[in-house]
Amino acid sequence: MVMNKAEKIVAKALEMFNERGIEYVSLRELATELGIRVGNITYYFPTKDDLVNRLAQDLSRLNEQIILQEPASLFSFLERFQKIFENHVQYRCLLLSFVHLMHQNKVLSEAYKETEKKRYLSIVTNLSSLQERGYLILEADRNFLVSVFSLTVRFWISEASLSFAHRSAAEQIRQYVTLLAKLLMPYATEKGQAEIRQFLVSLGH
Amino acid sequence: MVMNKAEKIVAKALEMFNERGIEYVSLRELATELGIRVGNITYYFPTKDDLVNRLAQDLSRLNEQIILQEPASLFSFLERFQKIFENHVQYRCLLLSFVHLMHQNKVLSEAYKETEKKRYLSIVTNLSSLQERGYLILEADRNFLVSVFSLTVRFWISEASLSFAHRSAAEQIRQYVTLLAKLLMPYATEKGQAEIRQFLVSLGH
DNA sequence: CACCATATTTGGACAATGTCCTAAACTTAC
DNA sequence: GTAAGTTTAGGACATTGTCCAAATATGGTG
């Protein structure tokens, strides 16, 4: 695989940031690891935030591909979260520093507002459409469920890094996707419950 | 109110950390605000982490008082979370930097493991006892519910700071306590549902 | 009151960090 | 082969948390 300098910097930065946390990897360490000087990094990415923004953009693009598809069933609705969680693991440094980044990095927080709107709308319309197709019965609980889903999707990996760091990434994903599935159970029709059970089985339950 | 120097430092630090974030308030700014020198702060708190640990200890003590009481009913079980959330707001700087602090500050993360165990056990035993007293029917869902509760209690304020910063603290608390209450609804008996409804009414719903 | 031990405060030093800038080296196109 | 643009090197700068030795203040004892 051919990589230009900027791509090499991005790749190594992601690797080191994931390993030790964005705030705890200095540009000088990153430069040393790459065998270049600091000023060389700042040529491609004038500030550290610019480098982080690039990573965020990459993750955003990955997730957008998943969100854009309309889920055909409750099963595929849940499956999508599994894919999103896999992306989250790949860019976990961003999610673990989420709150800080949002409060400090203007560009990122503006960009995320858009992503957030899309995600929120996507969950709302998906839940509605799943109700119309006889998978769910939601009534007044829709907004409540969207809140729980938003919270979980945003912070599952932070929680996992604190409580289940000893487990593999795959097991962590499995745990929190299971959580989302079980969350829907009380609001599912017979047909919906069957799909949730099917999904849980596909996870190895 | 008489405060010695250490208490004055702690009080002003909490104020500034809550306002702008622990990582974005330098000891020099804190010192200037207090009309003293940096070295004077490090006399009482050798490192910034020591200062943060002190705040964490204070919050921990506040919460412990709440957790120790056995809840008499589902209503008082929910009421306790409201009190905990009020403490969280008072010490929000800690919760907003939660992931970082845990990964970087050894003393704090060790101390939190204990707190965490207590909280987990407290939720588990409380849910069991509520089931025995005919408020809930849990079966295999107990662990699942504990996970959702843990995640929500830990990160509600981070989510709120991102999505509902424009609302008052009271409204934010109300929203996420409501969420916890609604979460229990499908697992509540008639008697339990009545108490949840009563609790929601007490919140102004 | 005078003295001394302890507690507190000062002022500055230190290494590390993100950012910035200028000059040198290298590429590319004509 | 030279000129223009791109990339790299090397170092400067202000800021940060931490540390230290000297100066000052405090409080108890003879």
Side-chain angles (χ1 to χ4, degrees), chain A residues 9 12-13 16-17 20-42 45-48 51:
Chain A
I9 293 173
K12 180 59 87 178
M16 295 180 74
F17 289 171
R20 294 173 31 212
I22 295 173
E23 292 81 353
Y24 308 115
V25 176
S26 73
L27 295 181
R28 281 169 182 82
E29 289 175 284
L30 177 56
T32 303
E33 198 78 8
L34 285 162
I36 60 177
R37 316 287 133 184
V38 202
N40 204 344
I41 295 178
T42 71
F45 302 97
T47 71
K48 195 177 182 180
L51 183 50

Side-chain angles (χ1 to χ4, degrees), chain B residues 63 67 81 84 88 95 98 112 114-124 126 146 149-150 153-154:
Chain B
N63 278 341
I67 290 180
F81 285 104
I84 288 174
H88 282 178
L95 286 119
F98 200 74
Y112 187 76
E114 288 308 304
T115 305
E116 177 52 16
K117 259 188 215 159
K118 282 182 202 160
R119 169 151 70 197
Y120 189 88
L121 262 170
S122 140
I123 297 180
V124 171
N126 287 336
V146 175
F149 265 67
S150 292
V153 170
R154 251 186 208 153

Side-chain angles (χ1 to χ4, degrees), chain A residues 26-140:
Chain A
S26 73
L27 295 181
R28 281 169 182 82
E29 289 175 284
L30 177 56
T32 303
E33 198 78 8
L34 285 162
I36 60 177
R37 316 287 133 184
V38 202
N40 204 344
I41 295 178
T42 71
Y43 171 74
Y44 293 98
F45 302 97
T47 71
K48 195 177 182 180
D49 276 347
D50 288 321
L51 183 50
V52 172
N53 290 342
R54 164 61 187 273
L55 293 174
Q57 209 178 1
D58 292 350
L59 172 58
S60 186
R61 265 198 262 273
L62 277 182
N63 278 341
E64 227 158 282
Q65 290 173 10
I66 297 171
I67 290 181
L68 284 180
Q69 312 151 14
E70 178 84 0
S73 61
L74 186 47
F75 187 92
S76 64
F77 176 68
L78 290 169
E79 225 174 14
R80 286 185 355 169
F81 284 104
Q82 193 169 9
K83 285 180 193 152
I84 287 175
F85 284 13
E86 280 160 11
N87 292 342
H88 281 178
V89 168
Q90 214 183 328
Y91 287 83
R92 60 188 174 281
C93 60
L94 293 173
L95 286 117
L96 292 174
S97 298
F98 200 73
V99 181
H100 281 118
L101 294 174
M102 286 304 125
H103 281 106
Q104 168 223 16
N105 183 327
K106 204 104 187 188
V107 176
L108 197 53
S109 65
E110 284 304 318
Y112 188 75
K113 272 185 198 163
E114 286 309 305
T115 305
E116 177 53 16
K117 258 187 216 159
K118 281 182 203 160
R119 168 150 72 195
Y120 189 88
L121 261 170
S122 141
I123 296 181
V124 171
T125 58
N126 287 337
L127 288 180
S128 298
S129 117
L130 289 171
Q131 174 156 26
E132 278 168 23
R133 274 178 282 163
Y135 289 105
L136 297 174
I137 302 172
L138 289 170
E139 300 170 26

Side-chain angles (χ1 to χ4, degrees), chain B residues 128-143:
Chain B
S128 299
S129 118
L130 289 171
Q131 174 156 27
E132 280 167 22
R133 273 179 280 163
Y135 288 105
L136 298 174
I137 302 172
L138 291 170
E139 300 169 26
D141 297 317
R142 185 152 51 212
N143 287 339

Side-chain angles (χ1 to χ4, degrees), chain B residues 49-50 53 101 104-113:
Chain B
D49 276 347
D50 289 320
N53 290 342
L101 293 175
Q104 169 224 15
N105 182 328
K106 204 104 187 192
V107 176
L108 198 53
S109 66
E110 284 303 317
Y112 187 76
K113 272 185 198 163

Side-chain angles (χ1 to χ4, degrees), chain B residues 113-195:
Chain B
K113 272 185 198 163
E114 288 308 304
T115 305
E116 177 52 16
K117 259 188 215 159
K118 282 182 202 160
R119 169 151 70 197
Y120 189 88
L121 262 170
S122 140
I123 297 180
V124 171
T125 58
N126 287 336
L127 288 180
S128 299
S129 118
L130 289 171
Q131 174 156 27
E132 280 167 22
R133 273 179 280 163
Y135 288 105
L136 298 174
I137 302 172
L138 291 170
E139 300 169 26
D141 297 317
R142 185 152 51 212
N143 287 339
F144 148 69
L145 264 183
V146 175
S147 291
V148 184
F149 265 67
S150 292
L151 191 97
T152 306
V153 170
R154 251 186 208 153
F155 294 109
W156 75 272
I157 203 167
S158 298
E159 172 88 355
S161 83
L162 294 172
S163 297
F164 308 111
H166 56 287
R167 297 192 197 168
S168 73
E171 279 168 345
Q172 292 178 19
I173 291 175
R174 182 171 170 273
Q175 157 141 9
Y176 287 96
V177 176
T178 300
L179 191 147
L180 289 183
K182 287 191 177 175
L183 212 45
L184 286 181
M185 201 53 121
Y187 310 97
T189 59
E190 285 288 328
K191 180 179 157 193
Q193 287 182 16
E195 288 223 358

